[in-house]
Coordinates of all heavy atoms in Angstrom, one line a residue:
M36 N 108.3 106.1 141.4 CA 106.9 106.1 141.1 C 106.4 104.8 140.6 O 106.8 104.4 139.5 CB 106.6 107.3 140.2 CG 105.2 107.5 139.9 SD 105.1 109.2 139.3 CE 103.6 109.3 138.5
G37 N 105.6 104.1 141.3 CA 105.2 102.8 140.9 C 103.7 102.7 140.8 O 103.0 103.7 140.7
E38 N 103.2 101.5 140.7 CA 101.7 101.3 140.6 C 101.0 101.9 141.8 O 99.8 102.3 141.6 CB 101.4 99.8 140.4 CG 101.7 99.3 139.0 CD 101.1 97.9 138.8 OE1 100.2 97.5 139.5 OE2 101.6 97.3 137.9
A39 N 101.6 102.0 142.9 CA 100.9 102.5 144.1 C 100.5 104.0 143.9 O 99.4 104.4 144.3 CB 101.8 102.4 145.3
E40 N 101.4 104.7 143.2 CA 101.1 106.2 143.0 C 100.2 106.4 141.8 O 99.4 107.3 141.7 CB 102.4 107.0 142.8 CG 103.2 107.1 144.0 CD 104.2 106.0 144.2 OE1 104.5 105.3 143.2 OE2 104.7 105.8 145.3
R41 N 100.3 105.5 140.7 CA 99.6 105.7 139.5 C 98.3 104.9 139.4 O 97.5 105.2 138.6 CB 100.5 105.3 138.3 CG 101.6 106.3 138.1 CD 102.4 105.9 136.9 NE 103.2 104.7 137.2 CZ 103.9 104.0 136.4 NH1 103.9 104.3 135.1 NH2 104.6 102.9 136.7
G42 N 98.1 103.9 140.2 CA 97.0 103.1 140.1 C 97.3 101.8 139.3 O 98.4 101.6 138.8
E43 N 96.3 101.0 139.1 CA 96.4 99.8 138.4 C 96.5 100.1 136.9 O 95.8 101.0 136.4 CB 95.2 98.9 138.6 CG 95.2 98.3 140.0 CD 96.3 97.4 140.3 OE1 96.6 96.6 139.5 OE2 96.8 97.5 141.4
S44 N 97.4 99.4 136.2 CA 97.5 99.5 134.7 C 96.4 98.7 134.1 O 95.9 97.7 134.6 CB 98.8 99.1 134.2 OG 99.1 97.8 134.5
A45 N 96.0 99.1 132.9 CA 94.9 98.4 132.1 C 95.5 97.0 131.7 O 96.7 96.9 131.4 CB 94.5 99.2 130.9
P46 N 94.6 96.0 131.6 CA 95.1 94.7 131.0 C 95.6 94.9 129.6 O 95.0 95.7 128.8 CB 93.8 93.9 131.0 CG 92.8 94.6 131.8 CD 93.2 96.0 131.9
R47 N 96.7 94.2 129.3 CA 97.3 94.4 128.0 C 97.4 93.1 127.2 O 97.4 92.0 127.8 CB 98.8 94.9 128.2 CG 98.9 96.2 129.0 CD 98.8 97.3 128.0 NE 98.9 98.6 128.6 CZ 98.6 99.7 127.9 NH1 98.2 99.6 126.7 NH2 98.6 100.9 128.5
L48 N 97.5 93.3 125.9 CA 97.7 92.2 125.0 C 99.0 92.5 124.2 O 99.1 93.6 123.7 CB 96.5 92.0 124.0 CG 95.2 91.7 124.5 CD1 94.1 91.7 123.4 CD2 95.2 90.3 125.1
R49 N 99.8 91.5 124.0 CA 101.0 91.7 123.1 C 100.6 91.0 121.8 O 100.4 89.8 121.8 CB 102.2 91.1 123.7 CG 102.6 92.0 124.9 CD 104.0 91.6 125.5 NE 105.1 91.9 124.6 CZ 105.7 93.0 124.4 NH1 105.2 94.1 125.1 NH2 106.7 93.2 123.7
I50 N 100.6 91.7 120.7 CA 100.3 91.2 119.4 C 101.6 91.2 118.5 O 102.3 92.2 118.5 CB 99.2 92.0 118.7 CG1 98.0 92.2 119.6 CG2 98.8 91.5 117.3 CD1 97.2 91.0 119.8
S51 N 101.8 90.1 117.8 CA 103.0 89.9 117.0 C 102.7 90.5 115.6 O 101.6 90.1 115.0 CB 103.5 88.5 116.9 OG 104.0 88.1 118.1
F52 N 103.6 91.2 115.0 CA 103.5 91.7 113.6 C 104.8 91.4 112.9 O 105.9 91.5 113.5 CB 103.3 93.3 113.6 CG 102.0 93.7 114.1 CD1 101.7 94.0 115.4 CD2 101.0 94.0 113.2 CE1 100.5 94.4 115.8 CE2 99.7 94.4 113.6 CZ 99.5 94.7 114.9
W53 N 104.7 90.9 111.7 CA 105.9 90.6 110.9 C 105.9 91.4 109.6 O 104.9 91.6 108.9 CB 105.9 89.1 110.5 CG 106.1 88.2 111.6 CD1 107.3 87.8 112.1 CD2 105.2 87.6 112.5 NE1 107.2 86.9 113.2 CE2 105.8 86.8 113.4 CE3 103.8 87.7 112.5 CZ2 105.2 86.1 114.4 CZ3 103.1 86.9 113.5 CH2 103.8 86.2 114.4
C54 N 107.1 91.9 109.2 CA 107.3 92.6 108.0 C 107.9 91.7 106.9 O 108.2 90.5 107.2 CB 108.3 93.8 108.2 SG 110.0 93.3 108.5
S55 N 108.0 92.2 105.7 CA 108.5 91.3 104.6 C 110.0 90.9 104.8 O 110.4 90.0 104.1 CB 108.3 92.0 103.3 OG 109.0 93.3 103.2
N56 N 110.7 91.6 105.7 CA 112.1 91.2 105.9 C 112.2 90.2 107.0 O 113.3 89.7 107.4 CB 112.9 92.4 106.3 CG 113.2 93.3 105.2 OD1 113.3 92.9 104.0 ND2 113.4 94.6 105.5
G57 N 111.0 89.7 107.6 CA 111.0 88.7 108.6 C 111.2 89.2 110.0 O 111.3 88.4 110.9
H58 N 111.2 90.5 110.2 CA 111.4 91.1 111.5 C 110.0 91.0 112.3 O 109.0 91.2 111.7 CB 111.7 92.6 111.5 CG 113.0 92.8 110.7 ND1 113.2 93.9 109.9 CD2 114.2 92.2 110.7 CE1 114.4 93.9 109.4 NE2 115.0 92.9 109.8
E59 N 110.1 90.6 113.6 CA 108.9 90.5 114.4 C 109.0 91.7 115.4 O 110.0 91.9 116.0 CB 108.9 89.2 115.1 CG 107.7 89.1 116.0 CD 107.7 87.8 116.8 OE1 108.7 87.1 116.9 OE2 106.6 87.5 117.4
T60 N 107.8 92.3 115.6 CA 107.7 93.3 116.6 C 106.4 93.0 117.4 O 105.4 92.4 116.8 CB 107.6 94.7 116.1 OG1 107.6 95.6 117.1 CG2 106.4 94.9 115.2
Q61 N 106.4 93.2 118.7 CA 105.3 92.9 119.6 C 104.9 94.1 120.4 O 105.1 94.2 121.6 CB 105.6 91.7 120.5 CG 105.8 90.4 119.8 CD 106.1 89.3 120.8 OE1 106.7 89.5 121.8 NE2 105.6 88.1 120.5
P62 N 104.1 95.0 119.8 CA 103.6 96.1 120.6 C 102.5 95.6 121.5 O 101.9 94.6 121.2 CB 103.1 97.1 119.5 CG 102.8 96.3 118.3 CD 103.8 95.1 118.4
S63 N 102.3 96.3 122.6 CA 101.2 95.9 123.5 C 100.1 96.9 123.3 O 100.3 98.1 123.1 CB 101.7 95.9 124.9 OG 102.2 97.2 125.3
F64 N 98.9 96.4 123.5 CA 97.6 97.2 123.3 C 96.8 96.9 124.5 O 96.8 95.8 125.1 CB 96.9 96.7 122.0 CG 97.6 97.0 120.8 CD1 98.4 96.0 120.2 CD2 97.6 98.2 120.2 CE1 99.1 96.2 119.0 CE2 98.3 98.4 119.0 CZ 99.0 97.4 118.4
A65 N 95.9 97.8 124.9 CA 94.9 97.6 125.9 C 94.0 96.5 125.4 O 93.7 96.4 124.2 CB 94.2 98.9 126.2
S66 N 93.6 95.7 126.3 CA 92.8 94.5 125.9 C 91.5 94.9 125.2 O 90.9 94.1 124.4 CB 92.5 93.6 127.1 OG 91.7 94.3 128.1
D67 N 90.9 96.1 125.5 CA 89.7 96.5 124.8 C 89.9 97.4 123.6 O 89.0 97.9 123.1 CB 88.8 97.2 125.9 CG 89.4 98.4 126.5 OD1 90.6 98.6 126.4 OD2 88.7 99.2 127.1
A68 N 91.2 97.7 123.3 CA 91.5 98.6 122.2 C 91.4 97.8 120.8 O 91.6 96.6 120.8 CB 92.9 99.1 122.3
Q69 N 91.1 98.6 119.8 CA 91.0 98.0 118.4 C 92.5 97.9 117.9 O 93.2 98.8 117.8 CB 90.2 98.9 117.5 CG 90.0 98.3 116.1 CD 89.2 99.2 115.3 OE1 88.7 100.2 115.7 NE2 89.0 98.8 114.0
V70 N 92.9 96.7 117.5 CA 94.2 96.4 117.0 C 94.3 96.7 115.5 O 93.4 96.3 114.8 CB 94.6 94.9 117.3 CG1 96.0 94.6 116.7 CG2 94.5 94.6 118.7
P71 N 95.3 97.5 115.1 CA 95.4 97.9 113.7 C 95.8 96.7 112.8 O 96.4 95.7 113.3 CB 96.4 99.0 113.6 CG 97.3 98.7 114.9 CD 96.3 98.2 115.9
D72 N 95.4 96.8 111.5 CA 95.8 95.7 110.6 C 97.3 95.7 110.3 O 97.8 94.6 110.1 CB 95.0 95.9 109.3 CG 93.5 95.7 109.4 OD1 93.1 94.9 110.4 OD2 92.8 96.3 108.7
T73 N 97.9 96.8 110.3 CA 99.3 96.9 110.0 C 100.0 97.8 111.1 O 99.4 98.6 111.7 CB 99.6 97.5 108.6 OG1 99.1 98.8 108.6 CG2 99.1 96.7 107.5
W74 N 101.3 97.6 111.2 CA 102.1 98.3 112.2 C 103.5 98.5 111.5 O 104.0 97.6 110.8 CB 102.3 97.4 113.4 CG 102.9 98.1 114.6 CD1 104.2 98.1 115.0 CD2 102.2 99.0 115.5 NE1 104.4 98.9 116.1 CE2 103.1 99.4 116.4 CE3 100.9 99.4 115.6 CZ2 102.8 100.3 117.5 CZ3 100.5 100.2 116.7 CH2 101.5 100.6 117.6
D75 N 104.1 99.7 111.6 CA 105.4 100.0 111.0 C 106.5 99.2 111.8 O 106.6 99.3 113.0 CB 105.7 101.5 111.1 CG 104.8 102.2 110.1 OD1 104.3 101.6 109.1 OD2 104.7 103.5 110.2
C76 N 107.3 98.5 111.1 CA 108.4 97.8 111.7 C 109.4 98.8 112.2 O 109.9 99.7 111.5 CB 109.1 96.9 110.6 SG 110.5 96.0 111.3
P77 N 109.8 98.7 113.5 CA 110.8 99.6 114.0 C 112.2 99.4 113.5 O 113.0 100.3 113.6 CB 110.7 99.4 115.6 CG 110.2 98.0 115.7 CD 109.3 97.8 114.5
R78 N 112.5 98.2 112.9 CA 113.9 98.0 112.4 C 114.1 98.5 111.0 O 115.1 99.0 110.7 CB 114.2 96.5 112.5 CG 114.3 96.0 114.0 CD 114.6 94.6 114.1 NE 115.9 94.2 113.5 CZ 116.3 93.0 113.3 NH1 115.5 92.0 113.7 NH2 117.5 92.8 112.8
C79 N 113.1 98.3 110.1 CA 113.3 98.6 108.7 C 112.3 99.7 108.2 O 112.5 100.2 107.1 CB 113.3 97.4 107.8 SG 111.7 96.5 107.8
G80 N 111.2 99.9 109.0 CA 110.2 100.9 108.5 C 109.2 100.3 107.6 O 108.2 101.1 107.2
F81 N 109.3 99.1 107.2 CA 108.3 98.5 106.3 C 107.0 98.2 107.0 O 107.0 98.0 108.2 CB 108.8 97.2 105.6 CG 109.8 97.4 104.6 CD1 110.5 96.3 104.0 CD2 110.2 98.6 104.1 CE1 111.4 96.4 103.0 CE2 111.1 98.8 103.1 CZ 111.8 97.7 102.6
P82 N 105.9 98.2 106.3 CA 104.6 97.8 107.0 C 104.7 96.3 107.5 O 105.3 95.5 106.8 CB 103.5 98.0 106.0 CG 104.2 98.0 104.7 CD 105.6 98.5 104.9
A83 N 104.1 96.0 108.6 CA 104.1 94.7 109.2 C 102.7 94.3 109.4 O 101.8 95.1 109.8 CB 104.9 94.6 110.4
G84 N 102.4 93.0 109.2 CA 101.0 92.5 109.4 C 101.1 91.3 110.4 O 102.1 90.9 110.8
Q85 N 99.9 90.9 110.8 CA 99.8 89.8 111.8 C 100.0 88.4 111.2 O 100.2 87.5 112.0 CB 98.4 89.9 112.5 CG 98.3 91.2 113.3 CD 96.9 91.2 114.0 OE1 96.4 90.2 114.4 NE2 96.4 92.4 114.1
D86 N 99.9 88.3 109.9 CA 100.1 87.0 109.3 C 101.6 86.8 108.9 O 102.1 87.5 108.1 CB 99.3 86.9 108.0 CG 99.3 85.5 107.3 OD1 100.0 84.6 107.9 OD2 98.7 85.3 106.3
R87 N 102.2 85.9 109.7 CA 103.7 85.7 109.5 C 104.0 85.2 108.1 O 105.0 85.5 107.5 CB 104.2 84.7 110.5 CG 105.6 84.4 110.5 CD 106.1 83.4 111.5 NE 107.5 83.6 111.8 CZ 108.1 83.1 112.9 NH1 107.4 82.5 113.8 NH2 109.4 83.3 113.0
D88 N 103.2 84.3 107.5 CA 103.4 83.7 106.2 C 103.1 84.7 105.0 O 103.6 84.4 103.9 CB 102.6 82.4 106.0 CG 103.0 81.4 107.1 OD1 104.2 81.4 107.5 OD2 102.2 80.6 107.5
S89 N 102.3 85.7 105.3 CA 102.0 86.6 104.2 C 102.0 88.1 104.7 O 101.0 88.7 104.9 CB 100.6 86.3 103.7 OG 100.2 87.1 102.7
P90 N 103.2 88.6 104.9 CA 103.3 90.0 105.4 C 103.0 91.0 104.3 O 103.0 90.6 103.1 CB 104.8 90.1 105.8 CG 105.5 89.1 105.0 CD 104.5 88.0 104.8
P91 N 102.6 92.2 104.6 CA 102.3 93.2 103.6 C 103.6 93.5 102.7 O 104.7 93.4 103.2 CB 101.9 94.4 104.4 CG 101.8 94.0 105.8 CD 102.4 92.7 106.0
A92 N 103.3 93.8 101.5 CA 104.5 94.1 100.6 C 105.1 95.4 100.9 O 104.4 96.3 101.4 CB 103.9 94.1 99.1
P93 N 106.4 95.6 100.8 CA 107.0 96.9 101.0 C 106.5 97.9 100.1 O 106.1 97.6 98.9 CB 108.5 96.6 100.9 CG 108.6 95.3 100.1 CD 107.3 94.6 100.3
P94 N 106.5 99.2 100.5 CA 106.0 100.2 99.6 C 106.9 100.4 98.4 O 108.1 100.2 98.5 CB 106.0 101.5 100.5 CG 107.0 101.2 101.6 CD 107.0 99.7 101.8
R95 N 106.3 100.7 97.3 CA 107.1 100.8 96.0 C 107.5 102.3 95.9 O 106.6 103.2 96.0 CB 106.2 100.5 94.8 CG 107.0 100.5 93.5 CD 106.1 99.8 92.4 NE 106.9 99.9 91.2 CZ 106.7 100.8 90.2 NH1 105.9 101.7 90.4 NH2 107.5 100.7 89.1
T96 N 108.8 102.5 95.8 CA 109.2 103.9 95.7 C 109.5 104.3 94.3 O 110.1 103.5 93.5 CB 110.5 104.1 96.5 OG1 111.5 103.2 96.1 CG2 110.2 103.9 98.0
E97 N 109.1 105.4 93.8 CA 109.3 105.8 92.5 C 110.7 106.5 92.4 O 111.1 107.2 93.3 CB 108.2 106.9 92.1 CG 106.8 106.3 92.0 CD 106.7 105.3 90.8 OE1 107.3 105.6 89.7 OE2 106.0 104.3 90.9
P98 N 111.4 106.3 91.3 CA 112.7 106.9 91.2 C 112.5 108.5 91.1 O 111.5 108.9 90.6 CB 113.3 106.3 90.0 CG 112.2 105.8 89.2 CD 111.1 105.4 90.2
Y99 N 113.6 109.2 91.4 CA 113.5 110.6 91.3 C 113.5 111.0 89.9 O 114.2 110.5 89.0 CB 114.8 111.3 92.0 CG 114.9 112.7 91.8 CD1 114.1 113.6 92.5 CD2 115.7 113.3 90.9 CE1 114.1 115.0 92.3 CE2 115.8 114.6 90.7 CZ 115.0 115.5 91.4 OH 115.0 116.8 91.2
K100 N 112.6 112.0 89.5 CA 112.6 112.5 88.1 C 112.9 114.0 88.2 O 112.4 114.7 89.0 CB 111.2 112.3 87.5 CG 110.8 110.9 87.3 CD 109.5 110.8 86.6 CE 109.0 109.4 86.4 NZ 107.7 109.4 85.8
T101 N 113.6 114.4 87.2 CA 113.8 115.8 87.0 C 112.6 116.5 86.4 O 111.7 115.9 85.9 CB 115.1 116.1 86.1 OG1 114.7 115.6 84.8 CG2 116.3 115.4 86.6
H102 N 112.7 117.8 86.4 CA 111.6 118.6 85.8 C 111.5 118.3 84.3 O 110.4 118.1 83.7 CB 111.8 120.1 86.0 CG 110.8 121.0 85.3 ND1 109.5 121.0 85.7 CD2 110.9 121.8 84.3 CE1 108.9 121.9 84.9 NE2 109.7 122.3 84.0
L103 N 112.7 118.2 83.7 CA 112.7 117.9 82.3 C 112.1 116.5 81.9 O 111.4 116.3 80.9 CB 114.1 117.9 81.7 CG 114.3 117.7 80.2 CD1 113.6 118.7 79.4 CD2 115.8 117.7 79.9
A104 N 112.2 115.5 82.8 CA 111.6 114.2 82.6 C 110.1 114.3 82.6 O 109.4 113.7 81.8 CB 112.1 113.2 83.6
Y105 N 109.6 115.1 83.6 CA 108.1 115.3 83.6 C 107.6 116.0 82.4 O 106.5 115.7 81.9 CB 107.7 116.1 84.9 CG 107.8 115.2 86.1 CD1 108.7 115.4 87.1 CD2 106.8 114.2 86.3 CE1 108.8 114.7 88.3 CE2 106.9 113.4 87.5 CZ 107.8 113.6 88.4 OH 107.9 112.9 89.6
V106 N 108.4 117.0 81.9 CA 108.0 117.7 80.7 C 107.9 116.8 79.5 O 107.0 116.8 78.7 CB 108.9 118.9 80.4 CG1 108.6 119.5 79.1 CG2 108.7 120.0 81.5
R107 N 108.9 115.9 79.4 CA 109.0 115.0 78.3 C 107.9 114.0 78.3 O 107.5 113.5 77.3 CB 110.4 114.3 78.3 CG 111.5 115.1 77.8 CD 112.8 114.4 77.8 NE 113.8 115.2 77.2 CZ 115.1 115.0 77.4 NH1 115.5 114.0 78.1 NH2 116.0 115.8 76.8
E108 N 107.3 113.7 79.5 CA 106.2 112.8 79.6 C 104.9 113.5 79.0 O 104.1 112.8 78.5 CB 105.9 112.4 81.0 CG 106.9 111.4 81.6 CD 106.6 111.0 83.0 OE1 105.6 111.6 83.6 OE2 107.3 110.2 83.6
R109 N 104.8 114.8 79.2 CA 103.6 115.5 78.8 C 103.7 116.0 77.3 O 102.7 116.2 76.7 CB 103.4 116.7 79.7 CG 103.1 116.4 81.1 CD 102.6 117.6 81.9 NE 103.4 118.8 81.7 CZ 104.4 119.2 82.5 NH1 104.7 118.4 83.6 NH2 105.1 120.3 82.3
R110 N 104.9 116.2 76.8 CA 105.0 116.8 75.4 C 105.7 115.8 74.5 O 106.6 115.0 74.9 CB 105.9 118.0 75.5 CG 105.5 119.0 76.5 CD 104.6 120.0 76.0 NE 104.4 121.1 76.9 CZ 103.3 121.8 77.0 NH1 102.3 121.4 76.3 NH2 103.2 122.7 77.9
T111 N 105.3 115.8 73.2 CA 105.9 115.1 72.2 C 107.1 115.9 71.7 O 107.2 117.1 72.0 CB 105.0 114.8 71.0 OG1 104.6 116.0 70.4 CG2 103.7 114.0 71.5
D112 N 107.9 115.2 70.9 CA 109.1 115.9 70.3 C 108.6 117.1 69.4 O 109.2 118.1 69.4 CB 110.0 115.0 69.5 CG 110.8 114.1 70.5 OD1 110.9 114.4 71.7 OD2 111.3 113.0 70.0
A113 N 107.5 116.8 68.7 CA 107.0 117.9 67.8 C 106.5 119.1 68.6 O 106.7 120.2 68.2 CB 105.8 117.3 66.9
D114 N 105.8 118.8 69.7 CA 105.4 119.9 70.6 C 106.6 120.7 71.1 O 106.6 121.9 71.1 CB 104.6 119.4 71.8 CG 103.3 118.8 71.4 OD1 102.7 119.1 70.4 OD2 102.7 118.0 72.3
G115 N 107.6 120.0 71.5 CA 108.8 120.7 72.0 C 109.5 121.6 70.9 O 109.9 122.7 71.2
E116 N 109.5 121.0 69.7 CA 110.1 121.8 68.6 C 109.3 123.1 68.3 O 109.8 124.2 68.1 CB 110.2 121.0 67.3 CG 111.2 119.9 67.4 CD 112.7 120.4 67.5 OE1 112.9 121.5 66.9 OE2 113.5 119.8 68.1
A117 N 108.0 123.0 68.4 CA 107.1 124.1 68.1 C 107.3 125.2 69.2 O 107.3 126.4 68.9 CB 105.6 123.7 68.1
I118 N 107.3 124.7 70.5 CA 107.5 125.7 71.6 C 108.9 126.4 71.5 O 109.0 127.6 71.7 CB 107.4 124.9 72.9 CG1 105.9 124.5 73.1 CG2 107.8 125.8 74.1 CD1 105.7 123.6 74.3
L119 N 109.9 125.6 71.1 CA 111.3 126.2 71.0 C 111.3 127.2 69.8 O 111.9 128.3 70.0 CB 112.3 125.0 70.7 CG 113.7 125.5 70.5 CD1 114.3 126.2 71.7 CD2 114.6 124.3 70.2
A120 N 110.7 126.8 68.7 CA 110.7 127.8 67.6 C 109.9 129.1 67.9 O 110.4 130.2 67.6 CB 110.0 127.1 66.4
E121 N 108.8 129.0 68.7 CA 108.1 130.1 69.1 C 108.9 131.0 70.0 O 109.0 132.2 69.9 CB 106.8 129.7 69.8 CG 105.9 130.9 70.2 CD 104.7 130.4 70.9 OE1 104.2 129.3 70.7 OE2 104.1 131.2 71.7
A122 N 109.6 130.4 71.0 CA 110.4 131.1 71.9 C 111.6 131.8 71.2 O 112.0 133.0 71.5 CB 111.0 130.2 73.0
L123 N 112.2 131.1 70.3 CA 113.3 131.7 69.5 C 112.8 132.9 68.6 O 113.5 133.9 68.5 CB 114.0 130.7 68.6 CG 114.9 129.6 69.4 CD1 115.4 128.6 68.4 CD2 116.0 130.3 70.1
A124 N 111.7 132.8 68.1 CA 111.1 133.8 67.3 C 110.9 135.1 68.1 O 111.1 136.2 67.7 CB 109.8 133.4 66.6
K125 N 110.4 134.9 69.4 CA 110.2 136.0 70.3 C 111.5 136.7 70.6 O 111.6 137.9 70.7 CB 109.5 135.5 71.6 CG 108.0 135.3 71.4 CD 107.4 134.9 72.8 CE 105.9 134.6 72.6 NZ 105.3 134.2 73.9
L126 N 112.5 135.9 70.9 CA 113.8 136.4 71.2 C 114.4 137.2 70.0 O 115.1 138.3 70.2 CB 114.8 135.3 71.6 CG 114.6 134.7 73.0 CD1 115.5 133.5 73.2 CD2 114.8 135.8 74.1
R127 N 114.2 136.8 68.8 CA 114.7 137.4 67.7 C 113.9 138.7 67.2 O 114.3 139.4 66.3 CB 114.8 136.5 66.5 CG 115.8 135.4 66.8 CD 115.9 134.4 65.6 NE 116.8 133.3 65.9 CZ 116.6 132.1 65.7 NH1 115.5 131.7 65.1 NH2 117.5 131.2 65.9
G128 N 112.7 138.8 67.9 CA 111.9 140.0 67.6 C 111.0 139.8 66.3 O 110.5 140.7 65.7
E129 N 110.8 138.5 65.9 CA 110.1 138.2 64.8 C 108.6 138.2 65.0 O 107.7 138.3 64.1 CB 110.5 136.9 64.2 CG 111.9 136.9 63.7 CD 112.4 135.5 63.3 OE1 111.6 134.5 63.4 OE2 113.6 135.3 63.0
I130 N 108.2 138.1 66.3 CA 106.8 138.1 66.7 C 106.4 139.4 67.3 O 107.0 140.0 68.1 CB 106.4 136.9 67.6 CG1 106.6 135.6 66.8 CG2 105.0 137.0 68.1 CD1 106.3 134.3 67.7

């Protein structure tokens, strides 16, 4: 199945995008299509931009936090002691 069966293809543009690792990718776009500002690098997955000298910064990944780490961010040690004392009092039947 070639162009004879499908018809003429639309005029295309190949645009270069570079990621922060220096990888270049050249996706093709229809000549009348709007070209995006960034494109995901197929080699490393980082965002790539059209400016070779100033590619977009890689995304910042947050380290994994446990449930306890999130609780410690929201509560002070004094709050934790008060909650623990209340829970122990309930278990002992004092409340």
Side-chain angles (χ1 to χ4, degrees):
M36 186 159 159
E38 283 189 22
E40 290 91 15
R41 291 183 285 174
E43 293 293 320
S44 62
R47 300 271 177 195
L48 296 174
R49 292 188 66 81
I50 306 293
S51 293
F52 289 88
W53 288 273
C54 71
S55 59
N56 286 334
H58 302 140
E59 179 185 12
T60 184
Q61 292 184 323
S63 62
F64 298 94
S66 61
D67 59 347
Q69 183 177 1
V70 178
D72 294 332
T73 60
W74 190 262
D75 289 340
C76 177
R78 291 180 63 189
C79 64
F81 286 174
Q85 295 180 36
D86 186 2
R87 183 180 200 161
D88 298 327
S89 180
R95 186 169 181 262
T96 55
E97 293 291 325
Y99 174 77
K100 290 184 185 178
T101 63
H102 176 70
L103 183 58
Y105 284 110
V106 170
R107 286 184 175 160
E108 286 180 358
R109 294 191 313 264
R110 308 270 190 215
T111 64
D112 287 341
D114 291 340
E116 290 294 326
I118 292 170
L119 179 61
E121 181 182 337
L123 288 174
K125 281 183 183 178
L126 286 174
R127 293 180 182 134
E129 297 170 4
I130 292 181

